[in-house]
PDB file of all heavy atoms in Angstrom:
ATOM      1  N   THR C 274       1.227  47.025 -71.612  1.00  0.00           N
ATOM      2  CA  THR C 274       0.556  46.446 -72.778  1.00  0.00           C
ATOM      3  C   THR C 274      -0.116  47.536 -73.611  1.00  0.00           C
ATOM      4  O   THR C 274      -0.114  47.483 -74.848  1.00  0.00           O
ATOM      5  CB  THR C 274      -0.490  45.406 -72.332  1.00  0.00           C
ATOM      6  OG1 THR C 274       0.160  44.381 -71.560  1.00  0.00           O
ATOM      7  CG2 THR C 274      -1.172  44.772 -73.538  1.00  0.00           C
ATOM      8  N   LYS C 275      -0.678  48.526 -72.936  1.00  0.00           N
ATOM      9  CA  LYS C 275      -1.388  49.610 -73.636  1.00  0.00           C
ATOM     10  C   LYS C 275      -0.437  50.678 -74.177  1.00  0.00           C
ATOM     11  O   LYS C 275      -0.812  51.449 -75.050  1.00  0.00           O
ATOM     12  CB  LYS C 275      -2.384  50.282 -72.675  1.00  0.00           C
ATOM     13  CG  LYS C 275      -3.495  49.384 -72.186  1.00  0.00           C
ATOM     14  CD  LYS C 275      -4.306  50.117 -71.099  1.00  0.00           C
ATOM     15  CE  LYS C 275      -5.325  49.202 -70.460  1.00  0.00           C
ATOM     16  NZ  LYS C 275      -6.016  49.875 -69.318  1.00  0.00           N
ATOM     17  N   ASN C 276       0.787  50.740 -73.647  1.00  0.00           N
ATOM     18  CA  ASN C 276       1.708  51.820 -74.011  1.00  0.00           C
ATOM     19  C   ASN C 276       3.059  51.230 -74.411  1.00  0.00           C
ATOM     20  O   ASN C 276       3.889  50.933 -73.547  1.00  0.00           O
ATOM     21  CB  ASN C 276       1.903  52.780 -72.839  1.00  0.00           C
ATOM     22  CG  ASN C 276       0.618  53.446 -72.415  1.00  0.00           C
ATOM     23  OD1 ASN C 276       0.224  54.471 -72.947  1.00  0.00           O
ATOM     24  ND2 ASN C 276      -0.061  52.856 -71.431  1.00  0.00           N
ATOM     25  N   GLU C 277       3.269  51.056 -75.697  1.00  0.00           N
ATOM     26  CA  GLU C 277       4.546  50.515 -76.155  1.00  0.00           C
ATOM     27  C   GLU C 277       5.689  51.482 -75.875  1.00  0.00           C
ATOM     28  O   GLU C 277       6.816  51.091 -75.617  1.00  0.00           O
ATOM     29  CB  GLU C 277       4.477  50.200 -77.649  1.00  0.00           C
ATOM     30  CG  GLU C 277       3.606  48.993 -77.961  1.00  0.00           C
ATOM     31  CD  GLU C 277       3.769  48.533 -79.383  1.00  0.00           C
ATOM     32  OE1 GLU C 277       4.575  49.131 -80.121  1.00  0.00           O
ATOM     33  OE2 GLU C 277       3.089  47.566 -79.758  1.00  0.00           O
ATOM     34  N   LYS C 278       5.404  52.752 -75.961  1.00  0.00           N
ATOM     35  CA  LYS C 278       6.416  53.757 -75.653  1.00  0.00           C
ATOM     36  C   LYS C 278       5.706  54.968 -75.056  1.00  0.00           C
ATOM     37  O   LYS C 278       4.604  55.310 -75.460  1.00  0.00           O
ATOM     38  CB  LYS C 278       7.168  54.157 -76.923  1.00  0.00           C
ATOM     39  CG  LYS C 278       8.451  54.947 -76.664  1.00  0.00           C
ATOM     40  CD  LYS C 278       9.237  55.111 -77.958  1.00  0.00           C
ATOM     41  CE  LYS C 278      10.533  55.879 -77.730  1.00  0.00           C
ATOM     42  NZ  LYS C 278      11.523  55.101 -76.997  1.00  0.00           N
ATOM     43  N   PHE C 279       6.347  55.583 -74.055  1.00  0.00           N
ATOM     44  CA  PHE C 279       5.717  56.724 -73.393  1.00  0.00           C
ATOM     45  C   PHE C 279       6.662  57.912 -73.472  1.00  0.00           C
ATOM     46  O   PHE C 279       7.804  57.843 -72.999  1.00  0.00           O
ATOM     47  CB  PHE C 279       5.401  56.396 -71.930  1.00  0.00           C
ATOM     48  CG  PHE C 279       4.432  57.352 -71.300  1.00  0.00           C
ATOM     49  CD1 PHE C 279       3.085  57.071 -71.299  1.00  0.00           C
ATOM     50  CD2 PHE C 279       4.869  58.534 -70.730  1.00  0.00           C
ATOM     51  CE1 PHE C 279       2.182  57.956 -70.714  1.00  0.00           C
ATOM     52  CE2 PHE C 279       3.978  59.421 -70.154  1.00  0.00           C
ATOM     53  CZ  PHE C 279       2.625  59.128 -70.151  1.00  0.00           C
ATOM     54  N   ASN C 280       6.205  58.981 -74.088  1.00  0.00           N
ATOM     55  CA  ASN C 280       7.047  60.159 -74.268  1.00  0.00           C
ATOM     56  C   ASN C 280       7.459  60.771 -72.925  1.00  0.00           C
ATOM     57  O   ASN C 280       6.659  60.864 -71.999  1.00  0.00           O
ATOM     58  CB  ASN C 280       6.306  61.217 -75.098  1.00  0.00           C
ATOM     59  CG  ASN C 280       6.079  60.764 -76.528  1.00  0.00           C
ATOM     60  OD1 ASN C 280       6.860  59.969 -77.061  1.00  0.00           O
ATOM     61  ND2 ASN C 280       5.024  61.247 -77.147  1.00  0.00           N
ATOM     62  N   ASN C 281       8.727  61.124 -72.849  1.00  0.00           N
ATOM     63  CA  ASN C 281       9.248  61.893 -71.713  1.00  0.00           C
ATOM     64  C   ASN C 281       9.430  61.086 -70.430  1.00  0.00           C
ATOM     65  O   ASN C 281       9.696  61.654 -69.368  1.00  0.00           O
ATOM     66  CB  ASN C 281       8.351  63.107 -71.430  1.00  0.00           C
ATOM     67  CG  ASN C 281       9.092  64.221 -70.708  1.00  0.00           C
ATOM     68  OD1 ASN C 281      10.270  64.443 -70.992  1.00  0.00           O
ATOM     69  ND2 ASN C 281       8.430  64.891 -69.789  1.00  0.00           N
ATOM     70  N   ILE C 282       9.303  59.759 -70.471  1.00  0.00           N
ATOM     71  CA  ILE C 282       9.413  58.981 -69.237  1.00  0.00           C
ATOM     72  C   ILE C 282      10.827  59.053 -68.649  1.00  0.00           C
ATOM     73  O   ILE C 282      11.005  59.032 -67.427  1.00  0.00           O
ATOM     74  CB  ILE C 282       8.995  57.508 -69.451  1.00  0.00           C
ATOM     75  CG1 ILE C 282       8.868  56.807 -68.086  1.00  0.00           C
ATOM     76  CG2 ILE C 282       9.962  56.775 -70.366  1.00  0.00           C
ATOM     77  CD1 ILE C 282       8.269  55.432 -68.160  1.00  0.00           C
ATOM     78  N   ILE C 283      11.836  59.178 -69.493  1.00  0.00           N
ATOM     79  CA  ILE C 283      13.212  59.273 -68.993  1.00  0.00           C
ATOM     80  C   ILE C 283      13.387  60.542 -68.171  1.00  0.00           C
ATOM     81  O   ILE C 283      14.025  60.536 -67.111  1.00  0.00           O
ATOM     82  CB  ILE C 283      14.221  59.250 -70.159  1.00  0.00           C
ATOM     83  CG1 ILE C 283      14.021  57.979 -71.011  1.00  0.00           C
ATOM     84  CG2 ILE C 283      15.649  59.315 -69.626  1.00  0.00           C
ATOM     85  CD1 ILE C 283      14.207  56.693 -70.258  1.00  0.00           C
ATOM     86  N   ASN C 284      12.794  61.649 -68.644  1.00  0.00           N
ATOM     87  CA  ASN C 284      12.884  62.901 -67.884  1.00  0.00           C
ATOM     88  C   ASN C 284      12.042  62.844 -66.614  1.00  0.00           C
ATOM     89  O   ASN C 284      12.430  63.370 -65.565  1.00  0.00           O
ATOM     90  CB  ASN C 284      12.437  64.076 -68.757  1.00  0.00           C
ATOM     91  CG  ASN C 284      13.406  64.355 -69.894  1.00  0.00           C
ATOM     92  OD1 ASN C 284      14.595  64.098 -69.753  1.00  0.00           O
ATOM     93  ND2 ASN C 284      12.897  64.863 -70.999  1.00  0.00           N
ATOM     94  N   LEU C 285      10.874  62.196 -66.686  1.00  0.00           N
ATOM     95  CA  LEU C 285      10.030  62.050 -65.499  1.00  0.00           C
ATOM     96  C   LEU C 285      10.744  61.253 -64.412  1.00  0.00           C
ATOM     97  O   LEU C 285      10.570  61.522 -63.211  1.00  0.00           O
ATOM     98  CB  LEU C 285       8.720  61.344 -65.870  1.00  0.00           C
ATOM     99  CG  LEU C 285       7.720  62.134 -66.710  1.00  0.00           C
ATOM    100  CD1 LEU C 285       6.546  61.243 -67.103  1.00  0.00           C
ATOM    101  CD2 LEU C 285       7.222  63.362 -65.954  1.00  0.00           C
ATOM    102  N   ARG C 286      11.539  60.293 -64.843  1.00  0.00           N
ATOM    103  CA  ARG C 286      12.289  59.445 -63.922  1.00  0.00           C
ATOM    104  C   ARG C 286      13.129  60.293 -62.956  1.00  0.00           C
ATOM    105  O   ARG C 286      13.223  59.981 -61.761  1.00  0.00           O
ATOM    106  CB  ARG C 286      13.183  58.511 -64.739  1.00  0.00           C
ATOM    107  CG  ARG C 286      14.224  57.749 -63.940  1.00  0.00           C
ATOM    108  CD  ARG C 286      15.232  57.071 -64.870  1.00  0.00           C
ATOM    109  NE  ARG C 286      16.283  56.490 -64.071  1.00  0.00           N
ATOM    110  CZ  ARG C 286      17.328  57.170 -63.601  1.00  0.00           C
ATOM    111  NH1 ARG C 286      17.447  58.459 -63.854  1.00  0.00           N
ATOM    112  NH2 ARG C 286      18.231  56.558 -62.869  1.00  0.00           N
ATOM    113  N   GLU C 287      13.726  61.358 -63.449  1.00  0.00           N
ATOM    114  CA  GLU C 287      14.630  62.180 -62.648  1.00  0.00           C
ATOM    115  C   GLU C 287      13.935  62.800 -61.437  1.00  0.00           C
ATOM    116  O   GLU C 287      14.573  63.078 -60.424  1.00  0.00           O
ATOM    117  CB  GLU C 287      15.234  63.302 -63.514  1.00  0.00           C
ATOM    118  CG  GLU C 287      16.100  62.811 -64.659  1.00  0.00           C
ATOM    119  CD  GLU C 287      17.312  62.041 -64.186  1.00  0.00           C
ATOM    120  OE1 GLU C 287      17.924  62.471 -63.185  1.00  0.00           O
ATOM    121  OE2 GLU C 287      17.655  61.011 -64.803  1.00  0.00           O
ATOM    122  N   ASN C 288      12.628  62.989 -61.533  1.00  0.00           N
ATOM    123  CA  ASN C 288      11.884  63.606 -60.430  1.00  0.00           C
ATOM    124  C   ASN C 288      11.368  62.593 -59.409  1.00  0.00           C
ATOM    125  O   ASN C 288      10.719  62.973 -58.434  1.00  0.00           O
ATOM    126  CB  ASN C 288      10.703  64.404 -60.983  1.00  0.00           C
ATOM    127  CG  ASN C 288      11.156  65.548 -61.864  1.00  0.00           C
ATOM    128  OD1 ASN C 288      12.133  66.222 -61.560  1.00  0.00           O
ATOM    129  ND2 ASN C 288      10.445  65.762 -62.969  1.00  0.00           N
ATOM    130  N   CYS C 289      11.634  61.306 -59.647  1.00  0.00           N
ATOM    131  CA  CYS C 289      11.083  60.249 -58.782  1.00  0.00           C
ATOM    132  C   CYS C 289      12.166  59.375 -58.171  1.00  0.00           C
ATOM    133  O   CYS C 289      11.869  58.314 -57.618  1.00  0.00           O
ATOM    134  CB  CYS C 289      10.121  59.371 -59.588  1.00  0.00           C
ATOM    135  SG  CYS C 289       8.814  60.268 -60.431  1.00  0.00           S
ATOM    136  N   LEU C 290      13.417  59.799 -58.267  1.00  0.00           N
ATOM    137  CA  LEU C 290      14.532  58.971 -57.810  1.00  0.00           C
ATOM    138  C   LEU C 290      14.526  58.769 -56.300  1.00  0.00           C
ATOM    139  O   LEU C 290      14.169  59.667 -55.538  1.00  0.00           O
ATOM    140  CB  LEU C 290      15.864  59.599 -58.219  1.00  0.00           C
ATOM    141  CG  LEU C 290      16.201  59.573 -59.716  1.00  0.00           C
ATOM    142  CD1 LEU C 290      17.450  60.408 -59.981  1.00  0.00           C
ATOM    143  CD2 LEU C 290      16.413  58.137 -60.191  1.00  0.00           C
ATOM    144  N   VAL C 291      14.951  57.576 -55.884  1.00  0.00           N
ATOM    145  CA  VAL C 291      15.167  57.290 -54.469  1.00  0.00           C
ATOM    146  C   VAL C 291      16.448  58.002 -54.039  1.00  0.00           C
ATOM    147  O   VAL C 291      17.438  57.983 -54.776  1.00  0.00           O
ATOM    148  CB  VAL C 291      15.287  55.765 -54.253  1.00  0.00           C
ATOM    149  CG1 VAL C 291      15.811  55.444 -52.860  1.00  0.00           C
ATOM    150  CG2 VAL C 291      13.952  55.085 -54.499  1.00  0.00           C
ATOM    151  N   PRO C 292      16.474  58.653 -52.878  1.00  0.00           N
ATOM    152  CA  PRO C 292      17.676  59.369 -52.435  1.00  0.00           C
ATOM    153  C   PRO C 292      18.923  58.482 -52.398  1.00  0.00           C
ATOM    154  O   PRO C 292      18.888  57.361 -51.879  1.00  0.00           O
ATOM    155  CB  PRO C 292      17.310  59.840 -51.021  1.00  0.00           C
ATOM    156  CG  PRO C 292      15.824  59.892 -51.019  1.00  0.00           C
ATOM    157  CD  PRO C 292      15.368  58.795 -51.925  1.00  0.00           C
TER     158      PRO C 292
END
Side-chain angles (χ1 to χ4, degrees):
T274 302
K275 296 173 187 174
N276 299 274
E277 289 192 1
K278 194 171 181 71
F279 196 93
N280 293 332
N281 204 37
I282 191 171
I283 304 300
N284 292 330
L285 289 174
R286 169 191 174 278
E287 297 298 319
N288 297 320
C289 306
L290 290 172
V291 168

